[in-house]
Amino acid sequence: MPRWAIVKADGEAEAFRYNIHKELEGTEAQALAVMLQIVDTCAAALTEAGRRRQRRRVFRVSERSYVVRVESRRSNHEAHFTLAELIADTHDDDLPSSALGSTQGT
């Protein structure tokens, strides 16, 4: 069964930090559905007091990549989510141990 990571780049301007937000197994469609649920709940669009909705926009960069921007009067927050497939693992006999090995024979 394919393994996936939802990679999140979080920050502002040039100060983005990348991390693996979640790992999961399943089909690409299942992994994408999980990622879209995360995108839809990212940065709850409420003010600190929880009374007024902020503006939240979602941009599709590609079929596996989305940017979320939450805007308020005081600040903007952006996060970039990308669905990535695991293609190499040094501790898994079913996968090559290098990215180069994953492309050979295709």
Side-chain angles (χ1 to χ4, degrees):
M1 174 103 16
R3 283 168 283 192
W4 304 90
I6 298 170
V7 180
K8 181 181 181 188
D10 200 21
E12 294 180 21
E14 290 131 20
F16 272 79
R17 187 183 75 206
Y18 291 82
N19 62 55
I20 293 183
H21 186 73
K22 184 178 184 95
E23 289 187 46
L24 56 147
E25 287 187 17
T27 66
E28 181 177 1
Q30 290 168 330
L32 185 58
V34 170
M35 184 178 75
L36 290 176
Q37 287 177 329
I38 292 169
V39 165
D40 282 345
T41 59
C42 175
L46 297 173
T47 64
E48 296 79 28
R51 292 186 305 251
R52 185 170 183 180
R53 185 161 176 79
Q54 298 172 343
R55 183 175 186 181
R56 184 166 64 95
R57 297 189 290 167
V58 178
F59 300 89
R60 181 174 51 223
V61 178
S62 71
E63 291 302 317
R64 289 188 182 178
S65 181
Y66 292 81
V67 172
V68 178
R69 182 167 198 190
V70 177
E71 302 167 338
S72 70
R73 289 183 181 150
R74 294 187 182 138
S75 67
N76 293 328
H77 176 81
E78 296 165 350
H80 185 176
F81 292 91
T82 303
L83 182 62
E85 183 177 8
L86 178 65
I87 60 165
D89 186 338
T90 59
H91 286 91
D92 187 333
D93 292 336
D94 294 334
L95 291 172
S97 60
S98 70
L100 180 61
S102 71
T103 62
Q104 293 179 0
T106 57

